[in-house]
Amino acid sequence: MGKFTYREIKVPERLVFIVSFSDPKGGVTRHPWSPNWPLETLSTVTFEQQGGKTKVSVQWIPADSATEMERKTFDEGRDGMKQGWGGTMDQFAAYLGKK
């Protein structure tokens, strides 16, 4: 299960939040398939108006508490993360298209 802890919500510009895996009680836990994944990652999503459309940019990095091994594991997983975020954004665009 995922856990999002919001640090900043600046409408309509930016969302900043910590992402972690959690146990059933909401406590932070390790990635179920990757024991060296960072316990927490920091996500910044920005929204920028461009010619009547909204450009969405995502920055996702290990949180400050990450170890060197966790940072290496995170960097090695970037291609998979691009697919995951890309799929999420595609689903979001499809949802908005139905409105």
Side-chain angles (χ1 to χ4, degrees), residues 33-53:
W33 303 287
S34 182
N36 292 323
W37 191 259
L39 272 177
E40 297 179 323
T41 58
L42 177 64
S43 296
T44 302
V45 182
T46 56
F47 306 92
E48 181 182 350
Q49 292 300 314
Q50 291 186 340
K53 295 188 177 193

Side-chain angles (χ1 to χ4, degrees), residues 1-6 17-33 37-41 43 60 85:
M1 182 169 13
K3 178 179 180 177
F4 288 50
T5 305
Y6 289 86
F17 49 95
I18 294 287
V19 179
S20 59
F21 287 89
S22 69
D23 60 29
K25 294 182 179 182
V28 175
T29 189
R30 286 274 168 205
H31 187 300
W33 303 287
W37 191 259
L39 272 177
E40 297 179 323
T41 58
S43 296
W60 197 24
W85 274 106

